[in-house]
Structure formats: C-alpha cells, structure tokens
Amino acid sequence: MTDRNPYAQQAPLAPGDRVWLVAPSGPAPKGTVEPAIAALEEWGLDVQVGENLRKVDARASYLAGSDDERRSDLVNAWCDPEASAVIALRGGYGAMRLLAVSYTHLTLPTS
C-alpha cells in the first residue's frame, strides 16, 4: 500500500536546522517559552524567537502584540531562507486576523 501522506518523503528536522517560534495569536503563557526553547536546543536545533512572542498587546491582552507586529513575526520567520520550520506556540482568533492581507510575496521552498 502506498503512503498517501504528501510529507512522508520529506526528511525530519535534523541537528543544525533553524526553527522559528512565533505567536500569531495570543502571547505564550509565562513559563512556557524557555522550556520549549531548551527542548528544541537539546535536539540540536537553531532556535530563533519572534520579536513579539512574549509581548502582550496593550489594548487586547489576549493578543501577542498588534496585528502588524504578529504578522511581521510570521512573515519574517516564513521568509527566512535558512528556516526549516516555523512553530506557532499558540493558535486562536488572533491568527485569523492576519488573513486580511495579501500573502503573494510568500512562497514555498523549491527544494
């Protein structure tokens, strides 16, 4: 039987690979970022952290910064040519708010 998973042939993350942690929705709960970074670094990964990962928006405390700040973190991580993965630490309503912009400049890696 053939595996129907389109990602089955892709290599998993390997030591030295760059991964980004971002918060496109809510801020990371206190005490969760450092253990996540430590676990990924134990696997030998090069961990990069979005600038607003720990930020709490002044007007809406359930968001990790303004829509523009969260969008910037996500786009910067996704467009990093050295990135092997982008990990969203939290999901939720805030991510949906980022869909109101054009993402035509985002492309999938060719290799």
Side-chain angles (χ1 to χ4, degrees):
M1 176 178 239
T2 304
D3 190 343
R4 293 187 210 171
N5 182 342
Y7 303 105
Q9 300 304 315
Q10 294 182 352
L13 293 173
D17 283 350
R18 178 176 293 171
V19 297
W20 278 88
L21 299 180
V22 297
S25 296
K30 289 185 188 262
T32 61
V33 174
E34 288 69 23
I37 292 170
L40 294 169
E41 287 178 341
E42 281 182 32
W43 296 346
L45 300 173
D46 171 22
V47 180
Q48 302 295 311
V49 177
E51 187 176 326
N52 298 291
L53 184 71
R54 296 175 180 93
K55 187 170 187 171
V56 176
D57 187 66
R59 295 183 319 150
S61 62
Y62 60 90
L63 295 174
S66 70
D67 291 352
D68 287 339
E69 290 168 327
R70 290 179 288 108
R71 183 180 302 111
S72 176
D73 281 357
L74 180 59
V75 169
N76 288 340
W78 190 268
C79 292
D80 178 354
E82 300 298 317
S84 296
V86 177
I87 301 170
L89 287 185
R90 296 210 36 203
Y93 169 73
M96 178 180 68
R97 295 167 50 125
L98 304 183
L99 296 176
V101 299
S102 170
Y103 284 97
T104 57
H105 59 287
L106 299 181
T107 59
L108 294 174
T110 56
S111 58

